Amino acid sequence: FALEPYPLTVDEAAEALGRILPQEAGNGTTAAQAPLSDGPSAEPLIEIRDLTYRYPEGAQALRGVNLTVPKGEFYALLGPNGSGKTTLAHHLIGLKRPPRGTVFLGRQDVARMPAAALSRSVGYVFQNPEHQFVALTVRDELAFSLHARKVPEGEIDSRVQALLSEFGLEEHAESNPYQLSQGQKRRLSVATMLAVEPDVLILDEPTFGQDMENAERIAQQLARLNRAGTTIVVITHDMKLVGECAHRAGVLVAGETAFEGSPRDLFARGDLLERADLAAPPLFELSRRLAAERPGFPALMSVDEYERELCGSSGTIPGTASYTA
């Protein structure tokens, strides 16, 4: 449906919808009790068991962290700057060696896994893209890991060309990666890991510095890869990405596990969001605003649930003729 004039803020949207919504809950949906995104029910692929880490200079980074990521899940790791998120990720990829019995990939103790076996299973996109560049051209950067895995040349060419197109890098194929803009470097770093399609892909702020179109493109690529079976872990402050893609989220505050559960349950915890320096997406703030004014209205809804709640099966908002889905 369309609203005229188009609302640009939560206040404007609440006012516009307030004029056309009934005072009682519309369609009786119970979506607010369900997880925002129903992830796969599967055995744990990543397990963090009471992981503690202190930096060499003495500062405590992680304090008995416990988290679980099932196989095939899209998982968001959240928290304020300095909460230990990147340090935790470094324990998953072998940049920091975890104590035995604290970090598991599948049924294997990461502390006992050879580095080569770990790198074949887990891909990592750094927060600073330049930390992972190894080739002189964008095309060769995308092909580097494929050559290392002895992928046939014809398949390498087709994969690289597809990624150049999907991430808007075709005209920069022969450029040096360091000559790209920051947004282009970020897209290249994500595309490089997508090229090899690891079992687990960990990304540190994958949408940072992107405009809306390119952030959406990256989100769609990650969702596609996740649907194909890859377990995705994103470290992010992009709560739109969390709300639209994540099955579950874990929150670290001061190096400790503060929350693990569905994004819907997280967005309902205003106290925790404030403590973790996070903000629910505007759509969910709007849901809460409308629920406070209308008994029975779902307090947290996704875009699809809004459409069902407001329009039902008819495609129009009940009692209105001028607003259509």
Side-chain angles (χ1 to χ4, degrees), residues 5 17 28 41 47 126 132 188 197 238 246 253:
L17 288 172
S41 177
E47 289 185 89
F126 286 84
Q132 69 188 74
L188 176 58
E197 298 184 343
D238 183 349
V253 177

Side-chain angles (χ1 to χ4, degrees), residues 25-260:
N27 299 316
T29 181
T30 57
Q33 282 90 50
L36 175 60
S37 182
D38 293 320
S41 177
E43 63 184 71
L45 180 61
I46 297 172
E47 289 185 89
I48 313 295
R49 303 177 183 172
D50 200 28
L51 176 62
T52 295
Y53 178 77
R54 187 183 295 273
Y55 290 118
E57 63 271 20
Q60 190 81 39
L62 299 172
R63 308 168 186 268
V65 172
N66 290 279
L67 295 170
T68 301
V69 181
K71 184 177 181 180
E73 189 161 78
F74 197 122
Y75 190 97
L77 184 58
L78 311 172
N81 292 333
S83 61
K85 304 182 300 295
T86 298
T87 299
L88 175 60
H90 287 177
H91 282 83
L92 293 172
I93 62 174
L95 284 180
K96 299 186 186 301
R97 210 63 178 173
R100 291 184 178 183
T102 59
V103 180
F104 292 84
L105 180 63
R107 298 184 181 277
Q108 298 186 70
D109 190 336
V110 168
R112 299 173 181 265
M113 290 181 67
L118 191 57
S119 66
R120 283 194 299 270
S121 297
V122 183
Y124 184 70
V125 176
F126 286 84
Q127 185 171 14
N128 183 343
E130 295 180 354
H131 289 172
Q132 69 188 74
F133 294 154
V134 295
L136 296 179
T137 70
V138 168
R139 186 183 301 278
D140 289 342
E141 185 70 34
L142 290 169
F144 182 84
S145 295
L146 296 173
H147 284 300
R149 287 165 169 76
K150 303 188 184 304
V151 175
E153 285 296 327
E155 185 176 344
I156 290 177
D157 290 343
S158 62
R159 282 203 210 179
V160 168
Q161 194 57 46
L163 288 166
L164 287 170
S165 176
E166 290 173 18
F167 284 87
L169 295 169
E170 285 179 297
E171 63 182 273
H172 305 287
E174 307 309 322
S175 301
N176 188 296
Y178 290 93
Q179 295 175 329
L180 301 177
S181 69
Q182 283 304 115
Q184 291 163 348
K185 288 175 182 177
R186 174 71 59 183
R187 298 203 299 278
L188 176 58
S189 66
V190 174
T192 300
M193 284 297 107
L194 291 181
V196 296
E197 298 184 343
D199 296 331
V200 181
L201 182 58
I202 302 172
L203 306 101
D204 201 339
E205 299 289 357
T207 59
F208 180 78
Q210 300 298 310
D211 59 27
M212 184 178 298
E213 180 181 353
N214 283 309
E216 184 66 23
R217 180 180 294 173
I218 289 173
Q220 289 173 355
Q221 288 296 324
L222 295 179
R224 175 190 61 78
L225 200 62
N226 179 242
R227 288 193 298 271
T230 301
T231 302
I232 303 289
V233 178
V234 292
I235 300 169
T236 187
H237 286 85
D238 183 349
M239 299 300 277
K240 182 175 183 292
L241 175 66
V242 176
E244 293 183 353
C245 295
H247 301 130
R248 286 200 311 148
V251 179
L252 297 183
V253 177
E256 298 181 325
T257 308
F259 173 88
E260 190 172 41

